[in-house]
Amino acid sequence: MKYILVLYMCSMINNSCPSSTVAGYQFTNHFDCVNAGYAIAQNTFRSLQDMEEYEREVIEIQKLVIKFECKEIKGEQT
């Protein structure tokens, strides 16, 4: 099986994740995908402040978090 890492920017105020992004990483197993997912999600969250529209105040007000999932690519074999 192969997996792709998908990141979601979510607001904990209304528990919604309006945007998602395929991170561009592909893995041959679930473990490696999840392990990378935590690191990439953390780095993504930390870099939000560098973007003008996501200053720290906006992150606090909207209670933004980065979630991720490892989606199995159907029909793919390793």
Side-chain angles (χ1 to χ4, degrees), residues 27-68:
F27 302 89
T28 57
N29 60 69
H30 178 76
F31 181 93
D32 290 343
C33 183
V34 171
N35 195 38
Y38 282 111
I40 293 166
Q42 182 180 35
N43 288 336
T44 301
F45 179 78
R46 287 182 175 169
S47 68
L48 283 179
Q49 288 185 85
D50 297 337
M51 303 166 111
E52 191 173 305
E53 65 268 25
Y54 296 112
E55 293 175 348
R56 187 173 181 137
E57 184 178 342
V58 173
I59 295 169
E60 288 286 345
I61 291 168
Q62 294 183 13
K63 307 281 190 263
L64 296 179
V65 299
I66 304 296
K67 292 185 177 185
F68 72 91

